[in-house]
Amino acid sequence: MTFWIDVAAIKAWNCLIHQSPRYRGFIFSDTEIETALMVKDIFKLPLCRLKSFLNSFFTLINIPLKYSTDSCIHNAFEERIS
């Protein structure tokens, strides 16, 4: 299997739009969520293993990206199957 990560995808990985004032943090980018769900389906990974898999993968290929959290993917996953 070959992974190809475009420069545009790297730039779009982190979302810089702040959530509403009562929340802390940032809204997760669609690129991050869609990529995580795609990798999850390809490798049949549970959500709890996805974070460590993606972070290890990015470290191995020397790309300065980090996968944020399981909860945003869990919420997006639940929305997409319903």
Side-chain angles (χ1 to χ4, degrees), residues 36-70:
L37 290 176
M38 198 174 358
V39 169
K40 179 194 173 306
D41 287 343
I42 290 170
F43 291 104
K44 307 294 184 219
L45 294 170
L47 288 173
C48 60
R49 301 279 185 241
L50 189 60
K51 181 177 183 175
S52 59
F53 178 83
L54 286 174
N55 286 336
S56 296
F57 174 73
F58 293 141
T59 301
L60 283 173
I61 62 172
N62 244 358
I63 292 182
L65 295 178
K66 289 287 180 201
Y67 171 68
S68 304
T69 180
D70 302 335

Side-chain angles (χ1 to χ4, degrees), residues 5-20:
I5 300 176
D6 191 301
V7 174
I10 293 171
K11 289 180 182 177
W13 187 262
N14 296 317
C15 186
L16 301 176
I17 300 170
H18 213 46
Q19 290 182 350
S20 65

